[in-house]
Amino acid sequence: MTVIKVSAPGKIHLIGDHSVVYGEPAIIASIGLRCYAIAEESDRIIVNDRQINSGKFGVKEAIEFSTEMENLWSYGSQKNDFSELFQAMKSDSMSFKKAAIGKILKTLKIDSGAKLTLSSDIPSHVGGMGSSAAFAIVITKAIAELNAKRLSLEKINEIAYGIEKLQHGNPSGGDNTTCCYGGLIWFKKASPSNIIIPLKNEIPYTLEDFVMVNAGKRAKTTGELVQHVRNLPDGYRSPRIKKLGECAWEMRSALKARDFKSVKDLMNIAQQNLSELGVSTKKIDEITGVVRSIGGGAKLSGAGGGGMVLCYHDDKAKMAKAIKELGYTPIETRLGVEGARTEER
Ligand code: PMV
């Protein structure tokens, strides 16, 4: 009996959240929290999810459902509005997994089932840590390897991007790319293919003195928050998106030069612009405000509306104390860890 165990890390945006959807660059780091999938042979699809929900469905059912969702995606893409897709994906608790697994089976021309046991260090109810992207990467890799298909990271990433589109509408692809390759990634959405530059040569040292803080459960999904920004008048949105793009370029230079004074200033400018785009919340403002008031840098990470806040201060203990006094818990994690990997075969 073949048993495969694979894993992939979550991610956090250093800069470029939302603006990356409009073709501006982002810098995204993998984090030391991982998602795991164990795949075993089965005639049906059986999903045992230790964090959210479990379920069973047939191979044909999954493939048909993924085709239905892809059609809704094409429709949404024409209208520039994915509300119907999002509605359908919320219709039952297994929808996303069914669509995702169906898409993998169809793309890889696999007609047998799999028993998948999923577990994750990345809390799925907290946005901004790439839980869905890491999931898309691990199930693609696990199902492929169970069926003796050795896919390149590029191919795994391409399939996972397709899965992310079913979940989020028109994501940039930055999340799945970082969860797949790991490290610190310079990512730019581009045609015919996205620009992906691992920054390990340019920024060879380990990023320290960052912490993450959970600003609470999101009321909206990533797709809905991206849609909110898309619905803003062009003349209001564009200058802020452009500014966020400039911040990403400057952040790359600042990190290269180990200029952390600029890094924290850029984080604060990014937070200001993201807030003006309407994706901050009272709690995010409270956390970022206190870090700024003691001379640090802080910004929401990912789509916002709650979720993770990334904070930096050269005196990490001082920052941790200020965050705790506000009633939040600073979460330490390694940044730039290894990407998707096989754990056991
Ligand atoms: O909130 P997350 O972790 O799903 O990240 C979303 C990042 C955005 O830039 C807002 C969207 C995207 O597709 O890049």
Side-chain angles (χ1 to χ4, degrees):
M1 176 97 167
T2 316
V3 182
I4 304 287
K5 183 173 181 186
V6 303
S7 76
K11 63 84 211 182
I12 194 131
H13 275 69
L14 262 62
I15 204 123
D17 338 54
H18 284 284
S19 46
V20 69
V21 173
Y22 299 85
E24 298 292 343
I27 302 177
I28 317 171
S30 57
I31 58 173
L33 303 177
R34 301 186 79 83
C35 176
Y36 298 87
I38 299 171
E40 297 166 69
E41 290 158 25
S42 166
D43 50 353
R44 312 192 66 202
I45 303 292
I46 304 171
V47 182
N48 290 329
D49 187 331
R50 293 187 179 149
Q51 202 182 85
I52 324 177
N53 47 355
S54 301
K56 294 178 188 175
F57 41 86
V59 168
K60 196 161 163 271
E61 184 188 342
I63 293 177
E64 281 172 6
F65 186 69
S66 78
T67 305
E68 251 176 69
M69 293 304 107
E70 279 169 345
N71 291 340
L72 273 185
W73 185 89
S74 303
Y75 179 63
S77 177
Q78 277 162 23
K79 288 202 314 177
N80 222 355
D81 181 352
F82 294 99
S83 328
E84 285 184 45
L85 171 69
F86 297 155
Q87 221 27 60
M89 288 296 263
K90 277 183 182 170
S91 62
D92 90 63
S93 60
M94 288 307 282
S95 298
F96 175 50
K97 292 192 172 89
K98 201 188 289 177
I101 294 166
K103 185 167 178 67
I104 297 165
L105 298 174
K106 192 166 59 176
T107 310
L108 298 179
K109 299 186 172 46
I110 295 170
D111 56 12
S112 51
K115 179 178 167 206
L116 296 162
T117 305
L118 306 169
S119 60
S120 188
D121 310 327
I122 313 162
S124 60
H125 57 280
V126 183
M129 297 169 90
S131 62
S132 72
F135 162 78
I137 297 289
V138 292
I139 51 162
T140 304
K141 187 167 166 63
I143 293 175
E145 289 190 15
L146 182 68
N147 289 280
K149 292 182 193 282
R150 287 295 198 92
L151 304 185
S152 62
L153 284 180
E154 202 181 350
K155 186 68 189 169
I156 294 171
N157 196 32
E158 183 194 312
I159 297 173
Y161 186 31
I163 295 172
E164 281 279 273
K165 283 184 179 170
L166 296 181
Q167 170 91 325
H168 302 305
N170 221 346
S172 60
D175 286 16
N176 48 278
T177 300
T178 309
C179 298
C180 187
Y181 292 93
L184 193 60
I185 298 285
W186 174 261
F187 179 87
K188 200 167 182 299
K189 197 171 172 180
S191 186
S193 52
N194 295 332
I195 297 166
I196 301 166
I197 305 177
L199 294 176
K200 62 175 177 298
N201 293 333
E202 232 172 86
I203 303 161
Y205 59 93
T206 307
L207 292 177
E208 278 161 11
D209 301 324
F210 285 89
V211 296
M212 303 186 298
V213 182
N214 181 359
K217 193 170 164 19
R218 285 177 171 167
K220 289 183 178 164
T221 63
T222 295
E224 288 165 342
L225 288 154
V226 168
Q227 186 75 48
H228 159 82
V229 174
R230 187 173 295 125
N231 291 346
L232 294 171
D234 239 358
Y236 180 82
R237 184 188 56 233
S238 295
R240 289 164 178 88
I241 293 292
K242 195 164 163 277
K243 183 72 196 161
L244 286 163
E246 284 163 15
C247 285
W249 283 101
E250 286 175 36
M251 174 79 90
R252 181 169 169 180
S253 307
L255 287 169
K256 200 172 158 187
R258 299 194 189 210
D259 169 8
F260 281 88
K261 159 87 179 72
S262 297
V263 167
K264 62 189 180 189
D265 288 348
L266 290 163
M267 289 171 77
N268 293 334
I269 297 170
Q271 172 58 26
Q272 175 64 32
N273 281 274
L274 288 163
S275 169
E276 287 171 12
L277 290 173
V279 292
S280 192
T281 63
K282 239 173 106 186
K283 284 185 176 174
I284 296 174
D285 291 346
E286 190 176 44
I287 299 162
T288 53
V290 83
V291 175
R292 227 171 24 239
S293 74
I294 56 161
K299 59 175 279 295
L300 64 86
S301 175
M308 276 296 156
V309 174
L310 182 67
C311 308
Y312 173 86
H313 199 294
D314 39 24
D315 185 343
K316 195 152 99 175
K318 183 175 173 181
M319 171 168 67
K321 188 166 171 277
I323 291 168
K324 280 185 199 152
E325 276 168 9
L326 207 59
Y328 295 91
T329 310
I331 304 166
E332 303 233 8
T333 184
R334 284 193 302 135
L335 297 182
V337 304
E338 190 186 353
R341 66 178 181 225
T342 305
E343 301 277 342
E344 278 169 42
R345 191 191 303 276

